[in-house]
Amino acid sequence: MPTCEEVASIADSVDRAARAHELFGGKHPRPGQLRDLRADALRTAIGEGRDATELASRLGVRAADIAWMTSLDKPTWPARAKNG
């Protein structure tokens, strides 16, 4: 089973989101981090101009699901160190 670090290293944001989504339903030891990886990758894809309908199709969900998957107000993964 791929680690979160291996998923995070996938260059294409849509591929990264799809891989995290695939692993999320299984018995991965770090589901919370996969959820954060998926959300971050989806936010990146949307920022790159990808359409929510295209993303939903790739992940096998509804376009409305993309909105809630990306709306969580959480820190990005991996968490950035706080200075000071």
Side-chain angles (χ1 to χ4, degrees), residues 11-69:
D12 181 76
S13 59
V14 179
D15 290 342
R16 190 167 58 251
R19 187 64 176 137
H21 186 73
E22 290 168 4
L23 294 171
F24 183 69
K27 302 234 183 254
H28 198 279
R30 293 160 60 188
Q33 289 183 335
L34 283 175
R35 186 180 304 114
D36 291 343
L37 277 167
R38 179 183 64 189
D40 287 344
L42 289 170
R43 286 185 198 107
T44 298
I46 290 169
E48 294 169 346
R50 306 299 276 270
D51 182 68
T53 303
E54 170 196 0
L55 298 172
S57 175
R58 179 69 189 276
L59 271 63
V61 299
R62 298 172 303 144
D65 293 333
I66 298 299
W68 71 258
M69 287 178 182

Short mmCIF file of all heavy atoms in Angstrom, two decimals, residues 11-69:
data_model
loop_
_atom_site.label_atom_id
_atom_site.label_comp_id
_atom_site.label_asym_id
_atom_site.label_seq_id
_atom_site.Cartn_x
_atom_site.Cartn_y
_atom_site.Cartn_z
N ALA A 11 3.08 14.02 -9.28
CA ALA A 11 3.18 15.38 -9.82
C ALA A 11 1.84 15.97 -10.27
O ALA A 11 1.55 17.13 -9.98
CB ALA A 11 4.18 15.40 -10.98
N ASP A 12 1.04 15.21 -10.96
CA ASP A 12 -0.21 15.73 -11.49
C ASP A 12 -1.26 15.80 -10.38
O ASP A 12 -1.53 14.80 -9.71
CB ASP A 12 -0.72 14.84 -12.63
CG ASP A 12 -2.02 15.37 -13.22
OD1 ASP A 12 -1.96 16.36 -13.97
OD2 ASP A 12 -3.08 14.80 -12.89
N SER A 13 -1.84 16.97 -10.17
CA SER A 13 -2.78 17.16 -9.07
C SER A 13 -4.02 16.28 -9.19
O SER A 13 -4.52 15.77 -8.18
CB SER A 13 -3.19 18.63 -8.96
OG SER A 13 -3.79 19.08 -10.16
N VAL A 14 -4.51 16.05 -10.40
CA VAL A 14 -5.69 15.21 -10.57
C VAL A 14 -5.34 13.75 -10.28
O VAL A 14 -6.10 13.05 -9.59
CB VAL A 14 -6.29 15.37 -11.99
CG1 VAL A 14 -7.49 14.47 -12.17
CG2 VAL A 14 -6.67 16.82 -12.25
N ASP A 15 -4.20 13.30 -10.75
CA ASP A 15 -3.75 11.94 -10.45
C ASP A 15 -3.55 11.76 -8.95
O ASP A 15 -3.89 10.72 -8.38
CB ASP A 15 -2.45 11.60 -11.18
CG ASP A 15 -2.62 11.45 -12.68
OD1 ASP A 15 -3.77 11.26 -13.14
OD2 ASP A 15 -1.60 11.53 -13.38
N ARG A 16 -2.98 12.78 -8.31
CA ARG A 16 -2.74 12.72 -6.86
C ARG A 16 -4.07 12.63 -6.10
O ARG A 16 -4.22 11.82 -5.18
CB ARG A 16 -1.94 13.95 -6.43
CG ARG A 16 -1.42 13.91 -5.04
CD ARG A 16 -0.38 15.00 -4.77
NE ARG A 16 -0.86 16.33 -5.01
CZ ARG A 16 -0.48 17.13 -6.03
NH1 ARG A 16 0.41 16.70 -6.90
NH2 ARG A 16 -0.96 18.34 -6.15
N ALA A 17 -5.03 13.45 -6.49
CA ALA A 17 -6.35 13.42 -5.84
C ALA A 17 -7.03 12.07 -6.05
O ALA A 17 -7.60 11.50 -5.11
CB ALA A 17 -7.23 14.54 -6.38
N ALA A 18 -6.95 11.55 -7.26
CA ALA A 18 -7.59 10.27 -7.57
C ALA A 18 -6.96 9.13 -6.78
O ALA A 18 -7.66 8.27 -6.26
CB ALA A 18 -7.51 9.99 -9.07
N ARG A 19 -5.64 9.13 -6.67
CA ARG A 19 -4.96 8.06 -5.94
C ARG A 19 -5.30 8.13 -4.45
O ARG A 19 -5.57 7.11 -3.82
CB ARG A 19 -3.45 8.14 -6.15
CG ARG A 19 -2.71 6.97 -5.56
CD ARG A 19 -3.12 5.68 -6.26
NE ARG A 19 -2.35 4.58 -5.74
CZ ARG A 19 -2.86 3.39 -5.44
NH1 ARG A 19 -4.13 3.14 -5.65
NH2 ARG A 19 -2.10 2.45 -4.96
N ALA A 20 -5.30 9.33 -3.88
CA ALA A 20 -5.67 9.48 -2.47
C ALA A 20 -7.11 9.02 -2.26
O ALA A 20 -7.41 8.35 -1.27
CB ALA A 20 -5.48 10.92 -2.03
N HIS A 21 -7.98 9.36 -3.19
CA HIS A 21 -9.39 8.98 -3.09
C HIS A 21 -9.55 7.46 -3.14
O HIS A 21 -10.32 6.89 -2.38
CB HIS A 21 -10.19 9.65 -4.21
CG HIS A 21 -11.66 9.43 -4.10
ND1 HIS A 21 -12.43 10.06 -3.16
CD2 HIS A 21 -12.49 8.64 -4.81
CE1 HIS A 21 -13.69 9.66 -3.29
NE2 HIS A 21 -13.75 8.80 -4.29
N GLU A 22 -8.80 6.81 -4.02
CA GLU A 22 -8.85 5.34 -4.13
C GLU A 22 -8.43 4.68 -2.82
O GLU A 22 -9.03 3.69 -2.40
CB GLU A 22 -7.91 4.86 -5.24
CG GLU A 22 -8.35 5.19 -6.63
CD GLU A 22 -7.24 4.93 -7.66
OE1 GLU A 22 -6.15 4.42 -7.28
OE2 GLU A 22 -7.46 5.25 -8.83
N LEU A 23 -7.41 5.20 -2.19
CA LEU A 23 -6.87 4.60 -0.97
C LEU A 23 -7.71 4.92 0.25
O LEU A 23 -7.68 4.20 1.24
CB LEU A 23 -5.44 5.08 -0.74
CG LEU A 23 -4.42 4.61 -1.77
CD1 LEU A 23 -3.10 5.33 -1.56
CD2 LEU A 23 -4.24 3.11 -1.69
N PHE A 24 -8.45 6.01 0.19
CA PHE A 24 -9.20 6.48 1.35
C PHE A 24 -10.22 5.46 1.83
O PHE A 24 -10.43 5.30 3.03
CB PHE A 24 -9.88 7.81 1.01
CG PHE A 24 -10.62 8.41 2.16
CD1 PHE A 24 -9.94 8.91 3.25
CD2 PHE A 24 -11.99 8.47 2.16
CE1 PHE A 24 -10.61 9.44 4.32
CE2 PHE A 24 -12.68 9.02 3.22
CZ PHE A 24 -11.98 9.50 4.30
N GLY A 25 -10.86 4.75 0.95
CA GLY A 25 -11.88 3.79 1.34
C GLY A 25 -11.34 2.49 1.90
O GLY A 25 -12.08 1.70 2.48
N GLY A 26 -10.05 2.26 1.75
CA GLY A 26 -9.45 1.00 2.19
C GLY A 26 -9.01 1.06 3.64
O GLY A 26 -9.46 1.87 4.43
N LYS A 27 -8.11 0.21 3.97
CA LYS A 27 -7.60 0.12 5.35
C LYS A 27 -6.26 0.83 5.47
O LYS A 27 -5.32 0.30 6.08
CB LYS A 27 -7.48 -1.33 5.75
CG LYS A 27 -8.76 -2.10 5.65
CD LYS A 27 -9.06 -2.77 6.96
CE LYS A 27 -10.30 -3.60 6.82
NZ LYS A 27 -11.43 -3.05 7.46
N HIS A 28 -6.16 2.02 4.93
CA HIS A 28 -4.92 2.78 5.02
C HIS A 28 -4.72 3.25 6.46
O HIS A 28 -5.67 3.67 7.11
CB HIS A 28 -4.97 3.98 4.06
CG HIS A 28 -3.63 4.54 3.78
ND1 HIS A 28 -2.99 5.41 4.63
CD2 HIS A 28 -2.78 4.34 2.74
CE1 HIS A 28 -1.82 5.73 4.12
NE2 HIS A 28 -1.66 5.08 2.97
N PRO A 29 -3.48 3.19 6.95
CA PRO A 29 -3.24 3.56 8.35
C PRO A 29 -3.36 5.06 8.64
O PRO A 29 -3.43 5.45 9.79
CB PRO A 29 -1.81 3.07 8.60
CG PRO A 29 -1.17 3.02 7.26
CD PRO A 29 -2.28 2.68 6.30
N ARG A 30 -3.43 5.90 7.61
CA ARG A 30 -3.49 7.34 7.83
C ARG A 30 -4.62 7.97 6.99
O ARG A 30 -4.37 8.84 6.16
CB ARG A 30 -2.13 7.95 7.47
CG ARG A 30 -1.06 7.48 8.45
CD ARG A 30 0.35 7.62 7.95
NE ARG A 30 0.76 8.96 7.63
CZ ARG A 30 1.91 9.25 7.04
NH1 ARG A 30 2.75 8.30 6.73
NH2 ARG A 30 2.22 10.48 6.76
N PRO A 31 -5.87 7.59 7.23
CA PRO A 31 -6.97 8.11 6.42
C PRO A 31 -7.15 9.63 6.51
O PRO A 31 -7.53 10.26 5.53
CB PRO A 31 -8.19 7.37 6.93
CG PRO A 31 -7.83 6.94 8.31
CD PRO A 31 -6.35 6.70 8.28
N GLY A 32 -6.88 10.21 7.66
CA GLY A 32 -7.01 11.66 7.80
C GLY A 32 -6.03 12.40 6.90
O GLY A 32 -6.38 13.41 6.29
N GLN A 33 -4.83 11.89 6.80
CA GLN A 33 -3.84 12.53 5.94
C GLN A 33 -4.19 12.33 4.47
O GLN A 33 -3.96 13.21 3.66
CB GLN A 33 -2.44 12.05 6.26
CG GLN A 33 -1.98 12.60 7.60
CD GLN A 33 -0.56 12.20 7.94
OE1 GLN A 33 -0.05 11.20 7.47
NE2 GLN A 33 0.06 12.99 8.80
N LEU A 34 -4.77 11.17 4.14
CA LEU A 34 -5.22 10.96 2.76
C LEU A 34 -6.33 11.95 2.42
O LEU A 34 -6.37 12.50 1.32
CB LEU A 34 -5.75 9.54 2.57
CG LEU A 34 -4.72 8.44 2.44
CD1 LEU A 34 -5.41 7.08 2.38
CD2 LEU A 34 -3.85 8.65 1.21
N ARG A 35 -7.24 12.20 3.36
CA ARG A 35 -8.32 13.15 3.13
C ARG A 35 -7.74 14.55 2.88
O ARG A 35 -8.17 15.25 1.97
CB ARG A 35 -9.24 13.18 4.36
CG ARG A 35 -10.46 14.03 4.17
CD ARG A 35 -11.37 14.04 5.41
NE ARG A 35 -11.77 12.70 5.80
CZ ARG A 35 -11.40 12.11 6.94
NH1 ARG A 35 -10.61 12.72 7.80
NH2 ARG A 35 -11.83 10.90 7.22
N ASP A 36 -6.73 14.92 3.67
CA ASP A 36 -6.09 16.22 3.48
C ASP A 36 -5.35 16.29 2.14
O ASP A 36 -5.40 17.31 1.45
CB ASP A 36 -5.12 16.52 4.62
CG ASP A 36 -5.83 16.77 5.94
OD1 ASP A 36 -7.05 17.02 5.94
OD2 ASP A 36 -5.15 16.71 6.98
N LEU A 37 -4.67 15.20 1.78
CA LEU A 37 -3.98 15.14 0.49
C LEU A 37 -4.96 15.31 -0.66
O LEU A 37 -4.70 16.05 -1.61
CB LEU A 37 -3.25 13.81 0.33
CG LEU A 37 -1.89 13.68 0.96
CD1 LEU A 37 -1.45 12.23 0.98
CD2 LEU A 37 -0.90 14.52 0.19
N ARG A 38 -6.09 14.61 -0.57
CA ARG A 38 -7.11 14.70 -1.62
C ARG A 38 -7.63 16.13 -1.73
O ARG A 38 -7.72 16.68 -2.83
CB ARG A 38 -8.25 13.73 -1.32
CG ARG A 38 -9.37 13.77 -2.34
CD ARG A 38 -10.51 12.87 -1.96
NE ARG A 38 -11.14 13.30 -0.72
CZ ARG A 38 -12.04 12.60 -0.06
NH1 ARG A 38 -12.43 11.42 -0.50
NH2 ARG A 38 -12.56 13.06 1.05
N ALA A 39 -7.95 16.74 -0.61
CA ALA A 39 -8.47 18.11 -0.62
C ALA A 39 -7.45 19.08 -1.20
O ALA A 39 -7.80 19.92 -2.03
CB ALA A 39 -8.87 18.53 0.79
N ASP A 40 -6.21 18.97 -0.78
CA ASP A 40 -5.16 19.85 -1.30
C ASP A 40 -4.96 19.67 -2.80
O ASP A 40 -4.81 20.64 -3.54
CB ASP A 40 -3.84 19.63 -0.57
CG ASP A 40 -3.83 20.17 0.84
OD1 ASP A 40 -4.72 20.98 1.19
OD2 ASP A 40 -2.93 19.79 1.61
N ALA A 41 -4.96 18.41 -3.24
CA ALA A 41 -4.78 18.14 -4.66
C ALA A 41 -5.95 18.67 -5.47
O ALA A 41 -5.76 19.24 -6.56
CB ALA A 41 -4.61 16.64 -4.90
N LEU A 42 -7.17 18.53 -4.95
CA LEU A 42 -8.33 19.07 -5.65
C LEU A 42 -8.29 20.59 -5.70
O LEU A 42 -8.61 21.19 -6.73
CB LEU A 42 -9.62 18.59 -4.98
CG LEU A 42 -9.94 17.11 -5.16
CD1 LEU A 42 -11.10 16.70 -4.25
CD2 LEU A 42 -10.25 16.78 -6.61
N ARG A 43 -7.90 21.22 -4.60
CA ARG A 43 -7.78 22.69 -4.60
C ARG A 43 -6.75 23.14 -5.64
O ARG A 43 -6.95 24.12 -6.34
CB ARG A 43 -7.38 23.19 -3.22
CG ARG A 43 -8.50 23.15 -2.22
CD ARG A 43 -8.07 23.78 -0.90
NE ARG A 43 -8.95 23.37 0.15
CZ ARG A 43 -8.64 22.49 1.11
NH1 ARG A 43 -7.44 21.96 1.18
NH2 ARG A 43 -9.53 22.16 2.01
N THR A 44 -5.64 22.42 -5.73
CA THR A 44 -4.60 22.73 -6.71
C THR A 44 -5.16 22.58 -8.11
O THR A 44 -4.95 23.45 -8.97
CB THR A 44 -3.37 21.83 -6.51
OG1 THR A 44 -2.83 22.07 -5.20
CG2 THR A 44 -2.31 22.09 -7.56
N ALA A 45 -5.86 21.49 -8.36
CA ALA A 45 -6.42 21.24 -9.70
C ALA A 45 -7.40 22.35 -10.08
O ALA A 45 -7.39 22.84 -11.21
CB ALA A 45 -7.11 19.88 -9.73
N ILE A 46 -8.25 22.75 -9.15
CA ILE A 46 -9.20 23.83 -9.43
C ILE A 46 -8.44 25.13 -9.69
O ILE A 46 -8.78 25.87 -10.61
CB ILE A 46 -10.21 23.97 -8.28
CG1 ILE A 46 -11.14 22.75 -8.29
CG2 ILE A 46 -11.00 25.26 -8.38
CD1 ILE A 46 -12.00 22.61 -7.07
N GLY A 47 -7.39 25.38 -8.91
CA GLY A 47 -6.56 26.56 -9.13
C GLY A 47 -5.87 26.56 -10.48
O GLY A 47 -5.57 27.60 -11.04
N GLU A 48 -5.64 25.37 -11.02
CA GLU A 48 -5.02 25.22 -12.34
C GLU A 48 -6.05 25.33 -13.46
O GLU A 48 -5.72 25.17 -14.63
CB GLU A 48 -4.31 23.86 -12.44
CG GLU A 48 -3.13 23.72 -11.52
CD GLU A 48 -2.60 22.29 -11.43
OE1 GLU A 48 -3.27 21.33 -11.86
OE2 GLU A 48 -1.48 22.14 -10.89
N GLY A 49 -7.32 25.54 -13.07
CA GLY A 49 -8.37 25.71 -14.08
C GLY A 49 -9.13 24.45 -14.43
O GLY A 49 -9.91 24.44 -15.38
N ARG A 50 -8.93 23.37 -13.67
CA ARG A 50 -9.67 22.14 -13.95
C ARG A 50 -11.11 22.30 -13.49
O ARG A 50 -11.39 22.91 -12.47
CB ARG A 50 -9.03 20.94 -13.24
CG ARG A 50 -7.54 20.77 -13.54
CD ARG A 50 -7.21 20.53 -15.00
NE ARG A 50 -7.34 19.16 -15.41
CZ ARG A 50 -6.38 18.27 -15.37
NH1 ARG A 50 -5.19 18.57 -14.90
NH2 ARG A 50 -6.60 17.05 -15.80
N ASP A 51 -12.01 21.71 -14.23
CA ASP A 51 -13.44 21.82 -13.97
C ASP A 51 -13.87 20.79 -12.92
O ASP A 51 -13.41 19.64 -12.95
CB ASP A 51 -14.18 21.58 -15.29
CG ASP A 51 -15.67 21.71 -15.14
OD1 ASP A 51 -16.13 22.84 -14.89
OD2 ASP A 51 -16.35 20.68 -15.26
N ALA A 52 -14.77 21.20 -12.01
CA ALA A 52 -15.25 20.30 -10.97
C ALA A 52 -15.92 19.07 -11.56
O ALA A 52 -15.82 17.97 -11.01
CB ALA A 52 -16.20 21.04 -10.03
N THR A 53 -16.60 19.22 -12.68
CA THR A 53 -17.26 18.07 -13.32
C THR A 53 -16.22 17.06 -13.79
O THR A 53 -16.40 15.85 -13.63
CB THR A 53 -18.14 18.55 -14.49
OG1 THR A 53 -19.08 19.50 -14.00
CG2 THR A 53 -18.86 17.39 -15.14
N GLU A 54 -15.14 17.54 -14.38
CA GLU A 54 -14.04 16.66 -14.81
C GLU A 54 -13.43 15.94 -13.61
O GLU A 54 -13.19 14.73 -13.65
CB GLU A 54 -12.97 17.49 -15.52
CG GLU A 54 -11.69 16.73 -15.80
CD GLU A 54 -10.51 17.63 -16.15
OE1 GLU A 54 -10.66 18.87 -16.17
OE2 GLU A 54 -9.43 17.07 -16.39
N LEU A 55 -13.20 16.68 -12.53
CA LEU A 55 -12.62 16.08 -11.34
C LEU A 55 -13.55 15.03 -10.74
O LEU A 55 -13.11 13.95 -10.35
CB LEU A 55 -12.32 17.17 -10.30
CG LEU A 55 -11.30 18.22 -10.72
CD1 LEU A 55 -11.23 19.34 -9.70
CD2 LEU A 55 -9.94 17.60 -10.96
N ALA A 56 -14.83 15.35 -10.68
CA ALA A 56 -15.81 14.42 -10.14
C ALA A 56 -15.84 13.13 -10.95
O ALA A 56 -15.89 12.04 -10.39
CB ALA A 56 -17.19 15.07 -10.10
N SER A 57 -15.80 13.27 -12.25
CA SER A 57 -15.81 12.10 -13.13
C SER A 57 -14.60 11.22 -12.86
O SER A 57 -14.70 10.00 -12.79
CB SER A 57 -15.83 12.55 -14.58
OG SER A 57 -15.73 11.45 -15.44
N ARG A 58 -13.45 11.83 -12.69
CA ARG A 58 -12.21 11.08 -12.44
C ARG A 58 -12.26 10.33 -11.11
O ARG A 58 -11.78 9.22 -10.99
CB ARG A 58 -11.03 12.05 -12.48
CG ARG A 58 -9.70 11.42 -12.20
CD ARG A 58 -9.28 10.49 -13.35
NE ARG A 58 -8.12 9.74 -13.00
CZ ARG A 58 -6.87 10.17 -13.13
NH1 ARG A 58 -6.64 11.36 -13.66
NH2 ARG A 58 -5.86 9.44 -12.77
N LEU A 59 -12.88 10.96 -10.09
CA LEU A 59 -12.94 10.34 -8.78
C LEU A 59 -14.16 9.44 -8.60
O LEU A 59 -14.27 8.71 -7.62
CB LEU A 59 -12.96 11.41 -7.68
CG LEU A 59 -11.59 11.88 -7.17
CD1 LEU A 59 -10.76 12.53 -8.25
CD2 LEU A 59 -11.75 12.78 -5.99
N GLY A 60 -15.11 9.51 -9.55
CA GLY A 60 -16.31 8.68 -9.44
C GLY A 60 -17.30 9.21 -8.42
O GLY A 60 -17.98 8.43 -7.76
N VAL A 61 -17.35 10.54 -8.30
CA VAL A 61 -18.28 11.18 -7.36
C VAL A 61 -19.10 12.22 -8.12
O VAL A 61 -18.91 12.42 -9.32
CB VAL A 61 -17.52 11.85 -6.19
CG1 VAL A 61 -16.74 10.83 -5.39
CG2 VAL A 61 -16.59 12.96 -6.68
N ARG A 62 -20.01 12.89 -7.41
CA ARG A 62 -20.79 13.97 -8.04
C ARG A 62 -20.00 15.27 -7.98
O ARG A 62 -19.16 15.45 -7.10
CB ARG A 62 -22.11 14.16 -7.29
CG ARG A 62 -23.01 12.94 -7.33
CD ARG A 62 -24.21 13.09 -6.43
NE ARG A 62 -23.74 13.36 -5.07
CZ ARG A 62 -24.35 14.17 -4.20
NH1 ARG A 62 -25.46 14.77 -4.52
NH2 ARG A 62 -23.87 14.36 -2.99
N ALA A 63 -20.29 16.19 -8.89
CA ALA A 63 -19.61 17.48 -8.90
C ALA A 63 -19.82 18.21 -7.57
O ALA A 63 -18.91 18.88 -7.08
CB ALA A 63 -20.08 18.34 -10.07
N ALA A 64 -21.00 18.07 -6.98
CA ALA A 64 -21.27 18.71 -5.69
C ALA A 64 -20.34 18.17 -4.60
O ALA A 64 -20.02 18.88 -3.64
CB ALA A 64 -22.73 18.50 -5.29
N ASP A 65 -19.90 16.93 -4.73
CA ASP A 65 -19.00 16.35 -3.75
C ASP A 65 -17.64 17.04 -3.76
O ASP A 65 -16.99 17.16 -2.72
CB ASP A 65 -18.80 14.85 -3.99
CG ASP A 65 -20.05 14.05 -3.75
OD1 ASP A 65 -20.90 14.48 -2.94
OD2 ASP A 65 -20.19 12.98 -4.39
N ILE A 66 -17.23 17.50 -4.91
CA ILE A 66 -15.94 18.20 -5.01
C ILE A 66 -15.98 19.46 -4.16
O ILE A 66 -15.00 19.79 -3.49
CB ILE A 66 -15.61 18.54 -6.49
CG1 ILE A 66 -15.49 17.25 -7.32
CG2 ILE A 66 -14.33 19.38 -6.59
CD1 ILE A 66 -14.41 16.29 -6.88
N ALA A 67 -17.11 20.14 -4.14
CA ALA A 67 -17.23 21.37 -3.33
C ALA A 67 -17.01 21.09 -1.85
O ALA A 67 -16.25 21.79 -1.19
CB ALA A 67 -18.60 22.01 -3.56
N TRP A 68 -17.64 20.05 -1.32
CA TRP A 68 -17.44 19.80 0.11
C TRP A 68 -16.08 19.19 0.40
O TRP A 68 -15.51 19.39 1.47
CB TRP A 68 -18.58 19.01 0.74
CG TRP A 68 -18.71 17.56 0.37
CD1 TRP A 68 -19.60 17.03 -0.50
CD2 TRP A 68 -17.95 16.46 0.87
NE1 TRP A 68 -19.43 15.67 -0.59
CE2 TRP A 68 -18.43 15.29 0.24
CE3 TRP A 68 -16.90 16.34 1.78
CZ2 TRP A 68 -17.90 14.03 0.50
CZ3 TRP A 68 -16.37 15.07 2.03
CH2 TRP A 68 -16.88 13.94 1.40
N MET A 69 -15.52 18.45 -0.56
CA MET A 69 -14.19 17.88 -0.36
C MET A 69 -13.13 18.97 -0.26
O MET A 69 -12.10 18.78 0.38
CB MET A 69 -13.83 16.93 -1.50
CG MET A 69 -14.54 15.63 -1.48
SD MET A 69 -14.03 14.65 -2.94
CE MET A 69 -15.04 13.21 -2.73
#
